[in-house]
């Protein structure tokens, strides 16, 4: 129902309003029609409710109070309407995924889509009218929030876990502490369920969930209900795996006696799989590795615990041993460079490659860089590795030149620590000269890694490197450490948007907006954009539509040993 203006001499507007009346009435959206002097001619019920107005307000100017979030600022609705209604041309503006508050003290922010539409009415004298329509997104938001909770226990679910973990991983290199993923599977649950019935079984799950939730709050970890009888604990900031094992022991003990049915005590047990970063390998596989560990635990009976170890050989795979072996490994050629293609987004043609180091350990098998690079940074060995990478790649470039492969730019990863090291730039210049390779055929990808020692020095070296004609990319861009302010100090040629920003891009609107804006902003600043972690066609198409220049990811190719990779250059 429309609320009629108390007194009105606005003939053409009123007539027009009547035409819209039907549509206004049935709409769940909050709709108001305003004259060119900003008077509310009509408003529907939803609007009155949303803005806390009453019938007396109709016929008066729209109150100044309601505010809309435009980018970062709050702007009054009145201001927005005024801007739209300049009375000279038809204009329609939409503010999607915006927010509304009833006044500047209102803490209750309502997610909305807002549309403001101004158009002329009547001929002589011609007047202007504005329709404001507000679509409340709260219910839709609630629904998506529910997608991140387990239906039975209301604990956050696996989707939420994956989301949280990505954020957590990006911070892991900042401290020396370890992170553990603990998967807990209540043993023999389907059998139990067939004995005690569906409802009792659900009650058990709810109780286990409550218990874990309380424990999580006490001990400062997070708990997720991943699927029916399976829970995930994410335990940050641990010093040694012992701490995790004692936590698991507490849980096992409690489970053994905590549920009583009539007169019987149910003796519950749980199989537990654990993966620990960095001991169990890179964050890329941490979740999968916890499942592998769980599988191992389950293979050995009920109530068992298993910690995942790369290649799952039981040995003293520890930092000290790796550290001692590094120097020898370099001499014994245990390091191998893999190449991952970088393609042009428009054509999917391979135009560059990123060199990624692997350690073929005689005992442990292939150790991923996420395990040993942080260690090398701590010990300074990274500088030696960097020199090795450069020389190997220059040699490789020479071979490709001699055998007439397509010559492409190869990116080398370095940390700030290396850039700051003495004689770094001089060595690069010397090696280029020695191998007779053009500087454009290599590129340095800089990750912030360990903290900067001296920003001035780093900047100086950075500019000197650029002066040699070597392009520079800022890696892991957008993870919180490298941002646009950083780009001012370190004017790079390329930004590599981090994989964590695109992992959920197909379903996460916010990530979509961030990546799109980054590409636009980057282009405005004159840098090229590489997006990494493209894993499928839909990701490729979406991100290509944002105008990204280059892409890298498993969708095109995984990192490959040189002989595999160079087939792509023929
Ligand atoms: P980065 O430079 O960001 O390299 C990209 C990483 O993402 C690589 O992991 C690559 O294998 C992986 N990747 C690429 N596309 C996809 C995809 O579509 N899906 C998934 N799941 N992963 C993808 P990798 O090789 O384990 O390297 C990890 C990090 O180790 C690198 O991150 C880089 O920071 C560092 N690193 C590797 N080699 C070197 C090196 O020679 N020197 C230095 N200083 N750091 C290195
Ligand atoms: Mg890189
Ligand atoms: Mg990266």
């Amino acid at each position: 129902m429309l609320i009629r203006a108390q007194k009105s001499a606005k003939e053409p507007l009123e007539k027009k309003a009547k035409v819209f009346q039907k549509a206004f009435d049935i709409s769940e959206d909050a709709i108001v029609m305003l004259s060119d002097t900003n008077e509310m001619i009509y408003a529907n019920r939803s609007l009155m409710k949303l803005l806390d107005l009453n019938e007396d307000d109709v016929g008066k100017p729209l109150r100044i109070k309601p505010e809309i979030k435009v980018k970062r600022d709050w702007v009054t609705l009145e201001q927005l309407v005024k801007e739209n209604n300049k009375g000279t041309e038809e204009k329609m503006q939409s503010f999607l995924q915006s927010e509304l508050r009833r006044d500047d003290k209102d803490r209750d922010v309502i997610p909305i889509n807002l549309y403001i539409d101004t158009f002329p009415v009547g001929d002589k004298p011609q007047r202007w009218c504005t329709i404001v329509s507000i679509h409340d997104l709260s219910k839709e938001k609630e629904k998506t929030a529910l997608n991140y909770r387990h239906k039975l226990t209301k604990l956050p679910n696996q989707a939420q876990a994956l989301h949280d973990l990505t954020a957590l991983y990006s911070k892991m290199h900042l401290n020396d502490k370890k992170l553990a993923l603990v998967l807990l599977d209540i043993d023999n649950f389907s059998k139990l369920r067939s004995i005690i019935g569906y409802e009792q079984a659900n009650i058990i799950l709810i109780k286990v969930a409550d218990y874990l939730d309380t424990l999580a709050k006490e001990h400062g970890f997070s708990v997720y209900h991943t699927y029916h009888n399976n829970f995930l604990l994410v335990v940050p900031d641990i010093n040694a795996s012992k701490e995790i094992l004692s936590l698991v022991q507490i849980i096992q003990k409690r489970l053994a006696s905590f549920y009583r049915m009539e007169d019987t005590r149910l003796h519950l047990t749980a199989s537990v799989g654990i993966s620990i970063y960095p001991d169990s390998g890179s964050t890329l596989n941490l979740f999968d590795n916890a499942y592998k560990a769980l599988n191992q635990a389950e293979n050995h009976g009920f109530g068992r615990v298993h910690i995942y170890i790369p290649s799952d050989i039981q040995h003293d795979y520890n930092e000290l041993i790796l550290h001692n072996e590094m120097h020898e490994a370099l001499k014994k050629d245990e390091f191998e460079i893999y190449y991952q293609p970088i393609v042009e987004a428009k054509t999917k043609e391979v135009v560059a490659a990123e060199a990624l180091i692997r350690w073929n350990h005689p005992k442990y098998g292939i150790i991923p860089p996420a395990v040993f690079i942080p260690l090398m940074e701590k010990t300074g060995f990274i500088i030696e590795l960097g020199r090795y990478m450069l020389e190997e790649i220059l040699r490789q470039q020479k071979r490709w030149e001699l055998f007439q492969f397509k010559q492409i730019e190869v990116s080398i990863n370095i940390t700030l620590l290396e850039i700051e090291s003495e004689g770094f730039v001089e060595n690069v210049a010397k090696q280029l000269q020695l191998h007779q390779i053009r500087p454009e055929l290599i590129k340095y990808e800089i990750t912030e890694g360990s903290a900067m020692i001296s920003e001035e020095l780093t900047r100086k070296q950075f500019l000197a490197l650029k002066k040699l004609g070597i392009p520079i990319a800022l890696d892991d861009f957008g993870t919180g450490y490298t941002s646009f302010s950083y780009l001012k100090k370190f004017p790079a040629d390329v930004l590599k948007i981090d994989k964590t920003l695109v992992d959920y891009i197909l379903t996460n609107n916010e990530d979509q907006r961030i990546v799109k804006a980054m590409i636009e902003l980057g282009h405005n600043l004159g840098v090229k954009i590489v997006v990494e972690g493209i894993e499928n066609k839909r990701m490729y198409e979406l991100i290509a539509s944002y105008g990204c220049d280059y892409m890298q990811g498993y969708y095109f190719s995984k990192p490959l040993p040189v002989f595999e990779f160079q087939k792509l250059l023929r």
Side-chain angles (χ1 to χ4, degrees):
M1 192 191 93
L2 285 173
I3 310 298
R4 184 167 258 280
Q6 286 154 333
K7 50 179 173 17
S8 171
K10 315 285 179 336
E11 259 303 297
L13 291 190
E14 284 232 316
K15 266 192 200 146
K16 194 85 184 177
K18 277 203 183 105
V19 180
F20 285 109
Q21 180 163 350
K22 273 248 154 0
F24 282 17
D25 270 346
I26 55 169
S27 173
E28 275 187 27
D29 290 350
I31 299 173
V32 60
M33 188 172 181
L34 300 159
S35 74
D36 35 13
T37 51
N38 207 27
E39 259 165 292
M40 285 197 278
I41 303 168
Y42 286 109
N44 71 358
R45 285 246 179 257
S46 312
L47 184 107
M48 314 274 271
K49 207 170 128 209
L50 185 74
L51 296 188
D52 241 351
L53 302 178
N54 58 47
E55 297 188 8
D56 294 341
D57 293 311
V58 179
K60 294 181 190 156
L62 176 68
R63 277 203 231 139
I64 308 169
K65 284 179 174 171
E67 293 190 325
I68 310 291
K69 193 146 194 190
V70 180
K71 295 197 179 121
R72 292 213 167 147
D73 304 317
W74 288 98
V75 181
T76 62
L77 184 55
E78 187 191 11
Q79 184 69 31
L80 288 180
V81 170
K82 266 194 188 150
E83 260 164 44
N84 205 66
N85 181 3
K86 294 242 162 85
T88 47
E89 57 182 321
E90 282 195 55
K91 197 170 169 196
M92 156 112 188
Q93 280 201 84
S94 34
F95 300 87
L96 302 181
Q97 307 273 339
S98 181
E99 283 169 341
L100 176 140
R101 59 183 187 190
R102 292 188 182 89
D103 58 54
D104 59 2
K105 278 167 212 78
D106 191 0
R107 292 199 173 187
D108 235 358
V109 170
I110 306 163
I112 56 156
N113 282 343
L114 169 73
Y115 306 89
I116 307 178
D117 193 359
T118 302
F119 50 89
V121 261
D123 309 325
K124 275 182 214 147
Q126 194 180 56
R127 308 207 37 208
W128 291 82
C129 146
T130 298
I131 289 184
V132 176
S133 133
I134 302 170
H135 179 69
D136 187 338
L137 295 170
S138 312
K139 281 207 186 109
E140 285 144 56
K141 288 251 154 131
E142 241 164 61
K143 254 194 232 153
T144 23
L146 279 182
N147 290 340
Y148 288 92
R149 299 255 152 199
H150 192 280
K151 286 202 178 65
L152 176 68
T153 59
K154 306 287 180 288
L155 281 183
N157 63 12
Q158 172 143 329
Q160 183 70 52
L162 291 173
H163 189 271
D164 294 351
L165 282 174
T166 319
L168 201 60
Y169 290 162
S170 67
K171 294 193 194 108
M172 282 318 293
H173 72 274
L174 281 186
N175 67 17
D176 297 335
K177 298 279 174 71
K178 298 170 192 250
L179 166 77
L181 303 191
V182 181
L183 277 173
L184 224 132
D185 204 67
I186 299 173
D187 291 320
N188 222 4
F189 198 73
S190 36
K191 177 115 185 262
L192 186 72
R193 189 166 138 172
S194 71
I195 298 169
I196 63 174
Y198 177 73
E199 299 211 330
Q200 284 295 332
N202 277 350
I203 292 174
I204 292 184
L205 286 179
I206 292 171
K207 293 205 168 205
V208 171
D210 285 349
Y211 165 64
L212 291 177
D213 198 32
T214 314
L215 197 68
K217 285 183 183 119
E218 272 168 31
H219 290 256
F221 61 85
S222 318
V223 55
Y224 302 84
H225 191 171
T226 36
Y227 60 86
H228 49 293
N229 54 328
N230 187 287
F231 296 86
L232 167 73
L233 320 181
V234 176
V235 193
D237 295 336
I238 50 174
N239 296 303
S241 45
K242 263 197 304 208
E243 293 168 30
I244 285 298
L245 291 175
S246 49
L247 177 71
V248 169
Q249 234 169 24
I250 296 175
I251 297 172
Q252 296 278 35
K253 216 164 148 193
R254 182 81 186 94
L255 283 183
S257 63
F258 104 132
Y259 191 72
R260 198 187 264 280
M261 228 181 96
E262 286 156 11
D263 281 340
T264 357
R265 229 177 238 287
L266 281 180
H267 183 97
L268 296 182
T269 59
S271 297
V272 181
I274 302 172
S275 65
I276 298 178
Y277 175 83
D279 311 28
S280 303
S282 99
T283 51
L284 293 178
N285 308 319
L286 206 58
F287 203 35
D288 289 347
N289 289 346
Y291 273 107
K292 283 185 195 154
L294 178 61
N295 192 32
Q296 287 276 339
E298 283 173 333
N299 287 343
H300 289 91
F302 296 147
R304 299 301 177 98
V305 184
H306 188 88
I307 302 183
Y308 181 85
I309 289 156
S311 71
D312 237 348
I313 311 160
Q314 298 288 348
H315 45 54
D316 297 323
Y317 174 76
N318 69 27
E319 292 197 348
L320 194 66
I321 291 188
L322 285 189
H323 173 225
N324 290 339
E325 289 177 346
M326 270 172 205
H327 298 80
E328 280 298 303
L330 201 57
K331 281 187 213 139
K332 287 197 236 150
D333 262 348
E334 283 174 15
F335 288 106
E336 183 178 355
I337 302 175
Y338 275 50
Y339 294 84
Q340 187 178 29
I342 296 174
V343 304
E344 190 179 55
K346 271 196 200 119
T347 58
K348 295 193 194 170
E349 193 189 329
V350 178
V351 289
E354 176 171 9
L356 295 157
I357 191 78
R358 301 287 181 263
W359 183 350
N360 287 317
H361 194 281
K363 223 163 68 195
Y364 306 152
I366 290 188
I367 310 179
V371 175
F372 58 85
I373 295 276
L375 196 60
M376 287 181 170
E377 273 191 81
K378 268 193 237 165
T379 61
F381 186 75
I382 192 86
I383 294 170
E384 219 162 308
L385 179 82
R387 289 183 179 219
Y388 163 83
M389 291 294 284
L390 175 67
E391 286 173 38
E392 278 299 304
I393 284 158
L394 291 177
R395 254 178 241 134
Q396 188 57 57
Q397 283 286 24
K398 202 77 214 167
R399 268 177 239 134
W400 282 335
E401 186 190 313
L402 288 175
F403 292 102
Q404 295 181 345
F405 281 91
K406 179 175 156 190
Q407 291 250 268
I408 57 164
E409 169 198 275
V410 174
S411 294
I412 307 172
N413 289 284
I414 46 167
T415 55
L416 285 180
L417 193 77
E418 293 175 69
I419 278 222
E420 283 164 355
S421 66
E422 212 180 305
F424 177 76
V425 182
E426 291 78 0
N427 180 56
V428 176
K430 189 177 113 194
Q431 294 298 336
L432 283 172
Q433 176 68 26
L434 207 69
H435 291 88
Q436 285 294 300
I437 296 289
R438 285 179 283 129
E440 316 86 83
L441 283 179
I442 60 168
K443 179 194 277 152
Y444 271 117
E445 269 184 28
I446 303 184
T447 23
E448 198 159 13
S450 56
M452 258 180 282
I453 296 166
S454 144
E455 195 173 292
E456 247 337 281
L457 174 66
T458 313
R459 201 178 124 83
K460 214 175 105 204
Q461 299 276 69
F462 183 99
L463 296 176
L465 199 57
K466 271 194 79 152
K467 217 167 159 201
L468 287 182
I470 295 172
I472 301 182
L474 293 185
D475 206 353
D476 303 340
F477 199 78
T479 51
Y481 317 110
T482 15
S483 60
F484 282 99
S485 62
Y486 196 72
L487 191 59
K488 258 200 212 147
K489 287 176 231 151
F490 302 101
D493 308 276
V494 174
L495 301 183
K496 288 194 89 171
I497 295 185
D498 196 60
K499 186 177 163 302
T500 52
L501 275 174
V502 298
D503 279 342
Y504 299 98
I505 197 152
L506 291 176
T507 49
N508 186 326
N509 291 342
E510 182 147 329
D511 288 350
Q512 289 171 9
R513 266 179 283 143
I514 293 174
V515 170
K516 202 170 166 201
M518 278 187 162
I519 294 175
E520 277 166 22
L521 203 54
H523 282 165
N524 285 336
L525 295 170
V527 289
K528 296 275 186 210
I529 309 284
V530 183
V531 175
E532 44 185 5
I534 307 287
E535 291 192 342
N536 53 54
K537 188 161 178 244
R538 285 177 59 214
M539 280 169 107
Y540 161 72
E541 284 169 349
L542 179 71
I543 294 164
S545 79
Y546 296 162
C548 152
D549 305 283
Y550 305 105
M551 291 185 185
Q552 182 180 352
Y554 291 177
Y555 174 56
F556 309 105
S557 165
K558 289 199 169 182
L560 302 169
V562 67
F563 285 107
E564 289 295 315
F565 172 74
Q566 66 189 18
K567 288 181 192 157
L568 304 176
L569 299 182
R570 273 288 184 217

